[in-house]
Amino acid sequence: MTDRYTKGMQTRRAVLGDAHVDRAETQTSDFDAPFQAMITEGAWGTLWADDTIPARERSMLTLSLLAAMGNFEEIPMHIRATAHTGASPQDVLQAFMHVAVYAGVPKANHAIKLAKQTYAEMGIPI
């Protein structure tokens, strides 16, 4: 393991929580292990581990980009991560409102729907 992998795993656990990472690790196979190592080192060990942008803002950026690009499948995971990053539901709503203006109302509308569902599952009143 590289230092970046170790740092990435620490950051990944801090942002997504141990339960999520443990589930992902048990589902990793020989086939996708190289991909998992790449995202752990790159996304988590380099990008998310960099303290230039605080985790709260990084969460809001990530959610905005996921919605703007229509990558809705990852939104619930990153909504759940806000419990660790400090981005509030109001922060997330503002991020999705930016998506509406700059990337399209339908994308923001769907992202908000997913956020509402995920916050309800988390027991967070909005």
Side-chain angles (χ1 to χ4, degrees):
M1 279 192 243
T2 66
D3 288 342
R4 215 175 352 177
Y5 182 89
T6 301
K7 179 66 174 171
M9 192 55 75
Q10 291 169 346
T11 304
R12 188 176 174 196
R13 287 181 178 285
V15 172
L16 299 176
D18 288 331
H20 174 87
V21 176
D22 290 345
R23 270 192 313 277
E25 288 288 293
T26 62
Q27 295 173 2
T28 299
S29 68
D30 290 342
F31 176 73
D32 65 341
F35 174 77
Q36 291 297 322
M38 179 189 71
I39 62 171
T40 299
E41 290 181 359
W44 298 108
T46 301
L47 186 66
W48 275 88
D50 185 308
D51 62 1
T52 304
I53 300 173
R56 174 183 168 267
E57 285 77 8
R58 208 170 285 281
S59 260
M60 293 162 55
L61 282 167
T62 300
L63 285 162
S64 296
L65 289 165
L66 289 170
M69 298 299 295
N71 294 322
F72 299 113
E73 199 171 284
E74 298 255 328
I75 287 177
M77 175 182 70
H78 281 281
I79 292 291
R80 287 188 291 275
T82 63
H84 304 283
T85 65
S88 70
Q90 294 76 26
D91 294 333
V92 171
L93 177 62
Q94 287 298 314
F96 290 153
M97 289 174 71
H98 266 69
V99 170
V101 170
Y102 292 101
V105 170
K107 288 179 179 177
N109 188 43
H110 190 61
I112 290 167
K113 175 184 170 186
L114 292 171
K116 288 170 65 175
Q117 290 171 348
T118 306
Y119 283 129
E121 290 167 6
M122 295 170 69
I124 296 175
I126 51 172

